[in-house]
């Protein structure tokens, strides 16, 4: 039974720590992060010591010699202060992290997946589904942003779950999310290969291998190469999605070569909703509702991966300030790129167009390309397809980065093999990157028609794994929120906080549970064992991981007075540099954009 927490305090030589250095350390950390007022505002030194030491007293901490772990019980240890092992370097600049946040994982899910969503649910049905999933993605990212603002360290939200909820939850979430991102890499590469096959379908294996090698090399050479690559591709993706929205408006208003004004014509005929023909066609209202539910997976496929901006916090310069700025812009990213993009796509292509289902799996043909072909635009579809290839490459690149850092974070806390913590001189967790890179070559399976069923498993595992990731983020935030309240830490003074919390996290958690349950509901109309396993195998996988760590390590849920918000977390003085105000016109423009 757990009695008290042994708070980790790294000390290279001192045989015994006196109370004064400990409380001064805590006071300095809280002051630097703006969780306590500066010393000049304290009436006297005794009050300062009392405020700085209050958090430690409530935890009943003990002074110990060089201790590296926070004890859970006699059978389990959760390392908190791993600074001596964590060798990644903060090389991502402000412009890198801002562009990664805005467009890092914009890929085939948005550009190609919207076609199948419009065909299944209709233009309004697809819009509702994307808006609902977008609200859940936003709530999850707000919750993660606030926790990262306090602790911009390696491991991200799997470690937060271990640290503030239960180490077993962190273990399950970490491995589940690692597999989610690892499987997303071949999915995106396959999307790029499908697009390339529109020009050359005879050398698919060669193109797939080349894309795999380039993505892996980008992550192996260093985070600065990853940052510069994503910065360039993100700009291309932003130009492309904005251009598609403008072209879509031109087509809808009759400015295309065929001069046909569409307006809301396709919302009247064939209609705003289009339920699946094989579910409940005898009951149109019910079938339309089921159509919306059935495209939740496609909408989630487009959104997932936005958490990369927080996962990269441990390798970002001025992480608290830059992550906060990036999170605040996510709302506009969802509103403009996703919601507006789906709305425009629903205006320019009828939901009953058979070309919407051309492709493989989630990768139906892009509605924007179909609209251009119908309206008589000749050259632009080829240019857009080329842009889609770069976006698929960029998204796969981001997912590989994310999976390797999650695996590295698990290894740092002894929840994965220790050799995965090995880093190069440039701060690249090379073993974790190489292990994650192996999954990229699973994209070769998509070339063989016989492996299509297996490959669909990867797609569904990725989406379901993403739902579990969002669920754990919101659940962890609720514990985090309660812990801060109990220990008297003002979250309003963090670099980022959302005034709608904790209601945002509750909203996200409830919907994630529903998404997980209804993900494969269509299988109950035409039951097949393979489809059922594809849709729901992630549930026993997740809880199996949870119970394995729970039983073998004997972990327990943290109490609010035992949560550690200090150990192993760098102070603001250590991570944040003074912000240099922009000078001149172009620097002001860059400050607004990045």
């Amino acid at each position: 039974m757990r009695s008290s927490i042994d708070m980790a305090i790294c000390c290279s030589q001192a045989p015994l720590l006196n109370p004064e250095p400990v409380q001064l350390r805590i006071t300095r950390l809280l002051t630097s992060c703006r969780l306590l007022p500066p010393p000049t505002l304290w009436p006297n030194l005794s009050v300062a010591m009392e405020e700085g030491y209050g958090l430690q007293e409530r935890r009943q901490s003990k002074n110990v010699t060089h201790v590296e772990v926070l004890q859970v019980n006699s059978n389990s240890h959760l390392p908190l202060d791993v600074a001596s092992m964590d060798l990644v370097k903060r090389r991502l600049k402000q412009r890198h992290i801002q562009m990664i946040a805005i467009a890092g994982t914009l890929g085939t899910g948005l550009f190609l997946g919207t076609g199948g969503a419009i065909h299944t649910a209709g233009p309004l049905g697809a819009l509702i589904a994307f808006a609902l999933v977008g609200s859940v993605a936003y709530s999850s990212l707000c919750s993660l942003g606030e926790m990262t603002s306090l602790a911009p360290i390696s491991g991200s939200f799997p470690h937060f779950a271990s640290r503030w909820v239960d180490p077993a939850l962190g273990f399950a979430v970490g491995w589940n999310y690692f597999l989610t991102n690892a499987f997303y890499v071949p999915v995106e590469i396959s999307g790029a290969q499908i697009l390339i096959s529109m020009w050359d379908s005879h050398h698919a294996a060669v193109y797939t291998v080349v894309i795999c090698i380039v993505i892996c090399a980008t992550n192996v050479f260093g985070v600065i190469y990853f940052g510069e690559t994503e910065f360039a591709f993100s700009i291309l993706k932003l130009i492309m999605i904005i251009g598609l929205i403008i072209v879509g408006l031109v087509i809808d208003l009759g400015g295309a070569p065929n001069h046909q004004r569409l307006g809301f014509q396709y919302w009247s005929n064939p209609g705003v909703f289009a339920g699946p023909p094989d579910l409940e066609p005898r009951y149109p209202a019910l079938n339309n509702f089921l159509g919306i539910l059935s495209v939740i997976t496609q909408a989630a496929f487009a959104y997932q991966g936005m958490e990369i901006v927080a996962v990269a916090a441990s390798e970002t310069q001025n992480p608290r300030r830059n992550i906060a700025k990036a999170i605040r812009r996510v709302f506009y990213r969802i509103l403009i790129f996703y919601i507006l993009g789906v709305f425009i796509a629903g205006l320019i292509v009828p939901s009953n167009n058979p070309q919407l289902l051309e492709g493989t799996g989630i990768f139906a043909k892009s509605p924007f390309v179909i609209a251009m072909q119908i309206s008589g635009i000749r050259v632009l579809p080829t240019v857009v397809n080329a842009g889609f290839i770069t976006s698929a490459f960029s998204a796969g690149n981001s997912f590989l980065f994310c999976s390797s850092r999650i695996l590295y974070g698990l290894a740092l806390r002894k929840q994965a093999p220790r050799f995965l913590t090995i880093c190069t001189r440039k701060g690249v967790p090379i073993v974790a990157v190489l292990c994650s890179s192996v999954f990229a070559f699973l994209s070769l399976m998509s070339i063989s028609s016989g492996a299509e069923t297996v490959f669909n498993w990867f797609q569904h595992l990725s989406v379901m794994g993403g739902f579990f990731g969002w669920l754990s983020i919101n659940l962890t935030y609720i514990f985090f929120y309660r812990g801060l309240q109990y220990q008297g830490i003002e979250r309003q003074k963090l670099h980022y906080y959302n005034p709608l919390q904790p209601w945002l996290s509750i909203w996200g958690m409830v919907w994630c549970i529903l998404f997980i349950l209804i993900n494969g509901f269509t299988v109950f109309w035409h039951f097949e064992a393979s489809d059922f396993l594809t849709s729901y195998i992630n549930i026993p996988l997740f809880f199996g991981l949870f119970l394995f760590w729970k039983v073998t390590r004997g972990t327990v849920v943290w109490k609010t007075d035992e949560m550690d918000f200090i150990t192993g977390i760098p102070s603001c003085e250590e991570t944040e540099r003074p912000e240099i105000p922009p000078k001149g016109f172009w620097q002001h423009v860059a400050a607004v954009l990045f």
Side-chain angles (χ1 to χ4, degrees), residues 472-499:
S472 67
I473 288 172
N474 289 295
L475 177 63
T476 302
Y477 180 83
I478 293 174
F479 277 75
F480 170 82
Y481 181 89
R482 291 172 58 244
L484 291 184
Q485 272 194 326
Y486 182 86
Q487 298 188 16
I489 300 176
E490 297 183 46
R491 46 181 286 274
Q492 290 81 359
K493 293 184 179 179
L494 293 170
H495 281 73
Y496 173 81
Y497 87 99
N498 194 302

PDB file of all heavy atoms in Angstrom, residues 472-499:
ATOM      1  N   SER A 472      -7.512   9.155 -23.961  1.00  0.00           N
ATOM      2  CA  SER A 472      -6.547   9.201 -22.854  1.00  0.00           C
ATOM      3  C   SER A 472      -6.084  10.628 -22.575  1.00  0.00           C
ATOM      4  O   SER A 472      -5.852  10.987 -21.413  1.00  0.00           O
ATOM      5  CB  SER A 472      -5.352   8.314 -23.177  1.00  0.00           C
ATOM      6  OG  SER A 472      -4.613   8.840 -24.262  1.00  0.00           O
ATOM      7  N   ILE A 473      -5.947  11.449 -23.620  1.00  0.00           N
ATOM      8  CA  ILE A 473      -5.546  12.844 -23.420  1.00  0.00           C
ATOM      9  C   ILE A 473      -6.579  13.573 -22.569  1.00  0.00           C
ATOM     10  O   ILE A 473      -6.242  14.268 -21.597  1.00  0.00           O
ATOM     11  CB  ILE A 473      -5.364  13.549 -24.779  1.00  0.00           C
ATOM     12  CG1 ILE A 473      -4.112  13.044 -25.489  1.00  0.00           C
ATOM     13  CG2 ILE A 473      -5.282  15.068 -24.596  1.00  0.00           C
ATOM     14  CD1 ILE A 473      -3.967  13.534 -26.911  1.00  0.00           C
ATOM     15  N   ASN A 474      -7.848  13.426 -22.926  1.00  0.00           N
ATOM     16  CA  ASN A 474      -8.908  14.123 -22.175  1.00  0.00           C
ATOM     17  C   ASN A 474      -9.066  13.565 -20.772  1.00  0.00           C
ATOM     18  O   ASN A 474      -9.307  14.323 -19.825  1.00  0.00           O
ATOM     19  CB  ASN A 474     -10.224  14.023 -22.947  1.00  0.00           C
ATOM     20  CG  ASN A 474     -10.226  14.868 -24.207  1.00  0.00           C
ATOM     21  OD1 ASN A 474     -10.158  16.087 -24.165  1.00  0.00           O
ATOM     22  ND2 ASN A 474     -10.295  14.218 -25.356  1.00  0.00           N
ATOM     23  N   LEU A 475      -8.940  12.248 -20.614  1.00  0.00           N
ATOM     24  CA  LEU A 475      -9.014  11.658 -19.278  1.00  0.00           C
ATOM     25  C   LEU A 475      -7.856  12.131 -18.408  1.00  0.00           C
ATOM     26  O   LEU A 475      -8.049  12.494 -17.239  1.00  0.00           O
ATOM     27  CB  LEU A 475      -9.004  10.133 -19.393  1.00  0.00           C
ATOM     28  CG  LEU A 475      -8.997   9.355 -18.070  1.00  0.00           C
ATOM     29  CD1 LEU A 475     -10.263   9.639 -17.275  1.00  0.00           C
ATOM     30  CD2 LEU A 475      -8.836   7.860 -18.330  1.00  0.00           C
ATOM     31  N   THR A 476      -6.656  12.134 -18.973  1.00  0.00           N
ATOM     32  CA  THR A 476      -5.484  12.595 -18.225  1.00  0.00           C
ATOM     33  C   THR A 476      -5.645  14.059 -17.821  1.00  0.00           C
ATOM     34  O   THR A 476      -5.264  14.458 -16.706  1.00  0.00           O
ATOM     35  CB  THR A 476      -4.208  12.420 -19.066  1.00  0.00           C
ATOM     36  OG1 THR A 476      -4.063  11.048 -19.418  1.00  0.00           O
ATOM     37  CG2 THR A 476      -2.979  12.884 -18.296  1.00  0.00           C
ATOM     38  N   TYR A 477      -6.224  14.867 -18.717  1.00  0.00           N
ATOM     39  CA  TYR A 477      -6.393  16.273 -18.382  1.00  0.00           C
ATOM     40  C   TYR A 477      -7.311  16.453 -17.178  1.00  0.00           C
ATOM     41  O   TYR A 477      -7.074  17.332 -16.332  1.00  0.00           O
ATOM     42  CB  TYR A 477      -6.955  17.071 -19.560  1.00  0.00           C
ATOM     43  CG  TYR A 477      -7.127  18.523 -19.188  1.00  0.00           C
ATOM     44  CD1 TYR A 477      -6.053  19.401 -19.256  1.00  0.00           C
ATOM     45  CD2 TYR A 477      -8.334  19.000 -18.690  1.00  0.00           C
ATOM     46  CE1 TYR A 477      -6.184  20.714 -18.859  1.00  0.00           C
ATOM     47  CE2 TYR A 477      -8.476  20.318 -18.295  1.00  0.00           C
ATOM     48  CZ  TYR A 477      -7.397  21.169 -18.380  1.00  0.00           C
ATOM     49  OH  TYR A 477      -7.528  22.471 -17.969  1.00  0.00           O
ATOM     50  N   ILE A 478      -8.362  15.658 -17.079  1.00  0.00           N
ATOM     51  CA  ILE A 478      -9.275  15.783 -15.936  1.00  0.00           C
ATOM     52  C   ILE A 478      -8.522  15.517 -14.630  1.00  0.00           C
ATOM     53  O   ILE A 478      -8.693  16.233 -13.639  1.00  0.00           O
ATOM     54  CB  ILE A 478     -10.467  14.829 -16.109  1.00  0.00           C
ATOM     55  CG1 ILE A 478     -11.327  15.287 -17.290  1.00  0.00           C
ATOM     56  CG2 ILE A 478     -11.304  14.769 -14.835  1.00  0.00           C
ATOM     57  CD1 ILE A 478     -12.452  14.344 -17.644  1.00  0.00           C
ATOM     58  N   PHE A 479      -7.664  14.493 -14.613  1.00  0.00           N
ATOM     59  CA  PHE A 479      -6.837  14.227 -13.437  1.00  0.00           C
ATOM     60  C   PHE A 479      -5.863  15.386 -13.197  1.00  0.00           C
ATOM     61  O   PHE A 479      -5.648  15.820 -12.061  1.00  0.00           O
ATOM     62  CB  PHE A 479      -6.069  12.921 -13.617  1.00  0.00           C
ATOM     63  CG  PHE A 479      -6.870  11.697 -13.279  1.00  0.00           C
ATOM     64  CD1 PHE A 479      -7.847  11.226 -14.140  1.00  0.00           C
ATOM     65  CD2 PHE A 479      -6.647  11.008 -12.097  1.00  0.00           C
ATOM     66  CE1 PHE A 479      -8.588  10.097 -13.836  1.00  0.00           C
ATOM     67  CE2 PHE A 479      -7.380   9.877 -11.772  1.00  0.00           C
ATOM     68  CZ  PHE A 479      -8.357   9.417 -12.645  1.00  0.00           C
ATOM     69  N   PHE A 480      -5.254  15.859 -14.266  1.00  0.00           N
ATOM     70  CA  PHE A 480      -4.320  16.990 -14.195  1.00  0.00           C
ATOM     71  C   PHE A 480      -5.010  18.221 -13.609  1.00  0.00           C
ATOM     72  O   PHE A 480      -4.464  18.902 -12.727  1.00  0.00           O
ATOM     73  CB  PHE A 480      -3.812  17.265 -15.613  1.00  0.00           C
ATOM     74  CG  PHE A 480      -3.028  18.530 -15.799  1.00  0.00           C
ATOM     75  CD1 PHE A 480      -1.685  18.602 -15.489  1.00  0.00           C
ATOM     76  CD2 PHE A 480      -3.634  19.669 -16.336  1.00  0.00           C
ATOM     77  CE1 PHE A 480      -0.959  19.775 -15.695  1.00  0.00           C
ATOM     78  CE2 PHE A 480      -2.923  20.828 -16.545  1.00  0.00           C
ATOM     79  CZ  PHE A 480      -1.580  20.881 -16.221  1.00  0.00           C
ATOM     80  N   TYR A 481      -6.207  18.498 -14.077  1.00  0.00           N
ATOM     81  CA  TYR A 481      -6.986  19.662 -13.609  1.00  0.00           C
ATOM     82  C   TYR A 481      -7.273  19.539 -12.111  1.00  0.00           C
ATOM     83  O   TYR A 481      -7.113  20.507 -11.361  1.00  0.00           O
ATOM     84  CB  TYR A 481      -8.282  19.733 -14.417  1.00  0.00           C
ATOM     85  CG  TYR A 481      -9.196  20.889 -14.080  1.00  0.00           C
ATOM     86  CD1 TYR A 481      -9.058  22.116 -14.722  1.00  0.00           C
ATOM     87  CD2 TYR A 481     -10.205  20.739 -13.138  1.00  0.00           C
ATOM     88  CE1 TYR A 481      -9.905  23.173 -14.419  1.00  0.00           C
ATOM     89  CE2 TYR A 481     -11.056  21.788 -12.831  1.00  0.00           C
ATOM     90  CZ  TYR A 481     -10.909  22.999 -13.472  1.00  0.00           C
ATOM     91  OH  TYR A 481     -11.753  24.041 -13.163  1.00  0.00           O
ATOM     92  N   ARG A 482      -7.690  18.359 -11.672  1.00  0.00           N
ATOM     93  CA  ARG A 482      -7.993  18.139 -10.261  1.00  0.00           C
ATOM     94  C   ARG A 482      -6.735  18.263  -9.414  1.00  0.00           C
ATOM     95  O   ARG A 482      -6.764  18.814  -8.305  1.00  0.00           O
ATOM     96  CB  ARG A 482      -8.630  16.771 -10.070  1.00  0.00           C
ATOM     97  CG  ARG A 482     -10.042  16.658 -10.649  1.00  0.00           C
ATOM     98  CD  ARG A 482     -10.573  15.228 -10.603  1.00  0.00           C
ATOM     99  NE  ARG A 482     -10.601  14.712  -9.256  1.00  0.00           N
ATOM    100  CZ  ARG A 482      -9.864  13.675  -8.833  1.00  0.00           C
ATOM    101  NH1 ARG A 482      -9.046  13.062  -9.688  1.00  0.00           N
ATOM    102  NH2 ARG A 482      -9.935  13.262  -7.591  1.00  0.00           N
ATOM    103  N   GLY A 483      -5.621  17.743  -9.928  1.00  0.00           N
ATOM    104  CA  GLY A 483      -4.376  17.816  -9.183  1.00  0.00           C
ATOM    105  C   GLY A 483      -3.888  19.242  -8.991  1.00  0.00           C
ATOM    106  O   GLY A 483      -3.443  19.618  -7.896  1.00  0.00           O
ATOM    107  N   LEU A 484      -3.964  20.045 -10.048  1.00  0.00           N
ATOM    108  CA  LEU A 484      -3.562  21.446  -9.926  1.00  0.00           C
ATOM    109  C   LEU A 484      -4.444  22.183  -8.925  1.00  0.00           C
ATOM    110  O   LEU A 484      -3.954  22.987  -8.117  1.00  0.00           O
ATOM    111  CB  LEU A 484      -3.634  22.133 -11.289  1.00  0.00           C
ATOM    112  CG  LEU A 484      -2.616  21.723 -12.360  1.00  0.00           C
ATOM    113  CD1 LEU A 484      -2.802  22.590 -13.598  1.00  0.00           C
ATOM    114  CD2 LEU A 484      -1.192  21.845 -11.846  1.00  0.00           C
ATOM    115  N   GLN A 485      -5.737  21.933  -8.989  1.00  0.00           N
ATOM    116  CA  GLN A 485      -6.658  22.583  -8.055  1.00  0.00           C
ATOM    117  C   GLN A 485      -6.323  22.229  -6.618  1.00  0.00           C
ATOM    118  O   GLN A 485      -6.262  23.102  -5.748  1.00  0.00           O
ATOM    119  CB  GLN A 485      -8.102  22.184  -8.365  1.00  0.00           C
ATOM    120  CG  GLN A 485      -8.798  23.064  -9.391  1.00  0.00           C
ATOM    121  CD  GLN A 485     -10.301  22.838  -9.405  1.00  0.00           C
ATOM    122  OE1 GLN A 485     -10.784  21.739  -9.181  1.00  0.00           O
ATOM    123  NE2 GLN A 485     -11.046  23.894  -9.683  1.00  0.00           N
ATOM    124  N   TYR A 486      -6.098  20.941  -6.360  1.00  0.00           N
ATOM    125  CA  TYR A 486      -5.857  20.497  -4.986  1.00  0.00           C
ATOM    126  C   TYR A 486      -4.549  21.060  -4.444  1.00  0.00           C
ATOM    127  O   TYR A 486      -4.464  21.441  -3.276  1.00  0.00           O
ATOM    128  CB  TYR A 486      -5.819  18.969  -4.942  1.00  0.00           C
ATOM    129  CG  TYR A 486      -5.616  18.413  -3.553  1.00  0.00           C
ATOM    130  CD1 TYR A 486      -6.694  18.206  -2.700  1.00  0.00           C
ATOM    131  CD2 TYR A 486      -4.332  18.100  -3.086  1.00  0.00           C
ATOM    132  CE1 TYR A 486      -6.511  17.706  -1.428  1.00  0.00           C
ATOM    133  CE2 TYR A 486      -4.139  17.612  -1.810  1.00  0.00           C
ATOM    134  CZ  TYR A 486      -5.232  17.412  -0.986  1.00  0.00           C
ATOM    135  OH  TYR A 486      -5.045  16.931   0.289  1.00  0.00           O
ATOM    136  N   GLN A 487      -3.529  21.134  -5.307  1.00  0.00           N
ATOM    137  CA  GLN A 487      -2.220  21.582  -4.840  1.00  0.00           C
ATOM    138  C   GLN A 487      -2.038  23.091  -4.950  1.00  0.00           C
ATOM    139  O   GLN A 487      -0.959  23.610  -4.714  1.00  0.00           O
ATOM    140  CB  GLN A 487      -1.132  20.845  -5.620  1.00  0.00           C
ATOM    141  CG  GLN A 487      -1.178  19.342  -5.405  1.00  0.00           C
ATOM    142  CD  GLN A 487       0.002  18.621  -6.013  1.00  0.00           C
ATOM    143  OE1 GLN A 487       1.011  19.228  -6.349  1.00  0.00           O
ATOM    144  NE2 GLN A 487      -0.111  17.302  -6.138  1.00  0.00           N
ATOM    145  N   GLY A 488      -3.100  23.792  -5.315  1.00  0.00           N
ATOM    146  CA  GLY A 488      -3.061  25.255  -5.299  1.00  0.00           C
ATOM    147  C   GLY A 488      -2.243  25.891  -6.397  1.00  0.00           C
ATOM    148  O   GLY A 488      -1.755  27.009  -6.240  1.00  0.00           O
ATOM    149  N   ILE A 489      -2.083  25.217  -7.522  1.00  0.00           N
ATOM    150  CA  ILE A 489      -1.328  25.765  -8.656  1.00  0.00           C
ATOM    151  C   ILE A 489      -2.311  26.395  -9.637  1.00  0.00           C
ATOM    152  O   ILE A 489      -3.251  25.750 -10.083  1.00  0.00           O
ATOM    153  CB  ILE A 489      -0.504  24.677  -9.355  1.00  0.00           C
ATOM    154  CG1 ILE A 489       0.489  24.057  -8.370  1.00  0.00           C
ATOM    155  CG2 ILE A 489       0.230  25.240 -10.564  1.00  0.00           C
ATOM    156  CD1 ILE A 489       1.285  22.901  -8.944  1.00  0.00           C
ATOM    157  N   GLU A 490      -2.098  27.650  -9.973  1.00  0.00           N
ATOM    158  CA  GLU A 490      -3.016  28.384 -10.840  1.00  0.00           C
ATOM    159  C   GLU A 490      -2.701  28.097 -12.301  1.00  0.00           C
ATOM    160  O   GLU A 490      -1.690  28.537 -12.830  1.00  0.00           O
ATOM    161  CB  GLU A 490      -2.921  29.884 -10.573  1.00  0.00           C
ATOM    162  CG  GLU A 490      -3.337  30.294  -9.170  1.00  0.00           C
ATOM    163  CD  GLU A 490      -3.285  31.795  -8.994  1.00  0.00           C
ATOM    164  OE1 GLU A 490      -3.785  32.516  -9.891  1.00  0.00           O
ATOM    165  OE2 GLU A 490      -2.737  32.254  -7.985  1.00  0.00           O
ATOM    166  N   ARG A 491      -3.583  27.341 -12.947  1.00  0.00           N
ATOM    167  CA  ARG A 491      -3.379  27.020 -14.356  1.00  0.00           C
ATOM    168  C   ARG A 491      -3.538  28.239 -15.243  1.00  0.00           C
ATOM    169  O   ARG A 491      -3.032  28.278 -16.365  1.00  0.00           O
ATOM    170  CB  ARG A 491      -4.353  25.925 -14.811  1.00  0.00           C
ATOM    171  CG  ARG A 491      -5.771  26.123 -14.384  1.00  0.00           C
ATOM    172  CD  ARG A 491      -6.667  24.990 -14.843  1.00  0.00           C
ATOM    173  NE  ARG A 491      -6.940  25.051 -16.244  1.00  0.00           N
ATOM    174  CZ  ARG A 491      -7.933  25.764 -16.783  1.00  0.00           C
ATOM    175  NH1 ARG A 491      -8.729  26.486 -15.996  1.00  0.00           N
ATOM    176  NH2 ARG A 491      -8.132  25.764 -18.071  1.00  0.00           N
ATOM    177  N   GLN A 492      -4.238  29.277 -14.767  1.00  0.00           N
ATOM    178  CA  GLN A 492      -4.413  30.494 -15.560  1.00  0.00           C
ATOM    179  C   GLN A 492      -3.095  31.204 -15.825  1.00  0.00           C
ATOM    180  O   GLN A 492      -3.009  32.035 -16.729  1.00  0.00           O
ATOM    181  CB  GLN A 492      -5.384  31.458 -14.860  1.00  0.00           C
ATOM    182  CG  GLN A 492      -6.828  30.994 -14.837  1.00  0.00           C
ATOM    183  CD  GLN A 492      -7.121  29.991 -13.740  1.00  0.00           C
ATOM    184  OE1 GLN A 492      -6.224  29.622 -12.986  1.00  0.00           O
ATOM    185  NE2 GLN A 492      -8.361  29.554 -13.643  1.00  0.00           N
ATOM    186  N   LYS A 493      -2.058  30.883 -15.047  1.00  0.00           N
ATOM    187  CA  LYS A 493      -0.768  31.533 -15.228  1.00  0.00           C
ATOM    188  C   LYS A 493       0.196  30.705 -16.076  1.00  0.00           C
ATOM    189  O   LYS A 493       1.356  31.079 -16.235  1.00  0.00           O
ATOM    190  CB  LYS A 493      -0.149  31.834 -13.861  1.00  0.00           C
ATOM    191  CG  LYS A 493      -0.939  32.881 -13.083  1.00  0.00           C
ATOM    192  CD  LYS A 493      -0.262  33.242 -11.782  1.00  0.00           C
ATOM    193  CE  LYS A 493      -1.062  34.312 -11.038  1.00  0.00           C
ATOM    194  NZ  LYS A 493      -0.437  34.682  -9.752  1.00  0.00           N
ATOM    195  N   LEU A 494      -0.285  29.591 -16.598  1.00  0.00           N
ATOM    196  CA  LEU A 494       0.513  28.852 -17.559  1.00  0.00           C
ATOM    197  C   LEU A 494       0.591  29.635 -18.867  1.00  0.00           C
ATOM    198  O   LEU A 494      -0.244  30.507 -19.129  1.00  0.00           O
ATOM    199  CB  LEU A 494      -0.103  27.477 -17.815  1.00  0.00           C
ATOM    200  CG  LEU A 494      -0.104  26.482 -16.653  1.00  0.00           C
ATOM    201  CD1 LEU A 494      -0.964  25.271 -16.997  1.00  0.00           C
ATOM    202  CD2 LEU A 494       1.307  26.047 -16.309  1.00  0.00           C
ATOM    203  N   HIS A 495       1.553  29.290 -19.703  1.00  0.00           N
ATOM    204  CA  HIS A 495       1.669  29.969 -20.993  1.00  0.00           C
ATOM    205  C   HIS A 495       0.444  29.740 -21.864  1.00  0.00           C
ATOM    206  O   HIS A 495       0.101  30.563 -22.700  1.00  0.00           O
ATOM    207  CB  HIS A 495       2.936  29.517 -21.734  1.00  0.00           C
ATOM    208  CG  HIS A 495       4.187  30.184 -21.245  1.00  0.00           C
ATOM    209  ND1 HIS A 495       4.775  29.882 -20.046  1.00  0.00           N
ATOM    210  CD2 HIS A 495       4.957  31.164 -21.798  1.00  0.00           C
ATOM    211  CE1 HIS A 495       5.855  30.630 -19.878  1.00  0.00           C
ATOM    212  NE2 HIS A 495       5.991  31.407 -20.925  1.00  0.00           N
ATOM    213  N   TYR A 496      -0.189  28.584 -21.686  1.00  0.00           N
ATOM    214  CA  TYR A 496      -1.437  28.325 -22.415  1.00  0.00           C
ATOM    215  C   TYR A 496      -2.453  27.701 -21.475  1.00  0.00           C
ATOM    216  O   TYR A 496      -2.145  26.771 -20.725  1.00  0.00           O
ATOM    217  CB  TYR A 496      -1.219  27.367 -23.591  1.00  0.00           C
ATOM    218  CG  TYR A 496      -2.532  26.969 -24.246  1.00  0.00           C
ATOM    219  CD1 TYR A 496      -3.143  27.816 -25.159  1.00  0.00           C
ATOM    220  CD2 TYR A 496      -3.181  25.786 -23.910  1.00  0.00           C
ATOM    221  CE1 TYR A 496      -4.364  27.483 -25.729  1.00  0.00           C
ATOM    222  CE2 TYR A 496      -4.394  25.442 -24.488  1.00  0.00           C
ATOM    223  CZ  TYR A 496      -4.983  26.300 -25.383  1.00  0.00           C
ATOM    224  OH  TYR A 496      -6.191  25.972 -25.937  1.00  0.00           O
ATOM    225  N   TYR A 497      -3.649  28.222 -21.494  1.00  0.00           N
ATOM    226  CA  TYR A 497      -4.765  27.579 -20.807  1.00  0.00           C
ATOM    227  C   TYR A 497      -6.038  27.964 -21.552  1.00  0.00           C
ATOM    228  O   TYR A 497      -6.096  28.976 -22.240  1.00  0.00           O
ATOM    229  CB  TYR A 497      -4.843  28.013 -19.335  1.00  0.00           C
ATOM    230  CG  TYR A 497      -5.625  29.277 -19.095  1.00  0.00           C
ATOM    231  CD1 TYR A 497      -6.952  29.221 -18.655  1.00  0.00           C
ATOM    232  CD2 TYR A 497      -5.065  30.521 -19.320  1.00  0.00           C
ATOM    233  CE1 TYR A 497      -7.683  30.375 -18.452  1.00  0.00           C
ATOM    234  CE2 TYR A 497      -5.786  31.683 -19.111  1.00  0.00           C
ATOM    235  CZ  TYR A 497      -7.092  31.609 -18.681  1.00  0.00           C
ATOM    236  OH  TYR A 497      -7.826  32.751 -18.480  1.00  0.00           O
ATOM    237  N   ASN A 498      -7.057  27.112 -21.424  1.00  0.00           N
ATOM    238  CA  ASN A 498      -8.325  27.368 -22.095  1.00  0.00           C
ATOM    239  C   ASN A 498      -9.412  27.579 -21.056  1.00  0.00           C
ATOM    240  O   ASN A 498      -9.614  26.717 -20.189  1.00  0.00           O
ATOM    241  CB  ASN A 498      -8.688  26.192 -23.005  1.00  0.00           C
ATOM    242  CG  ASN A 498      -9.805  26.529 -23.976  1.00  0.00           C
ATOM    243  OD1 ASN A 498     -10.903  26.907 -23.584  1.00  0.00           O
ATOM    244  ND2 ASN A 498      -9.523  26.408 -25.271  1.00  0.00           N
ATOM    245  N   PRO A 499     -10.124  28.711 -21.095  1.00  0.00           N
ATOM    246  CA  PRO A 499     -11.150  28.997 -20.083  1.00  0.00           C
ATOM    247  C   PRO A 499     -12.341  28.046 -20.138  1.00  0.00           C
ATOM    248  O   PRO A 499     -13.132  28.008 -19.191  1.00  0.00           O
ATOM    249  CB  PRO A 499     -11.577  30.434 -20.412  1.00  0.00           C
ATOM    250  CG  PRO A 499     -11.218  30.630 -21.850  1.00  0.00           C
ATOM    251  CD  PRO A 499      -9.994  29.807 -22.073  1.00  0.00           C
TER     252      PRO A 499
END
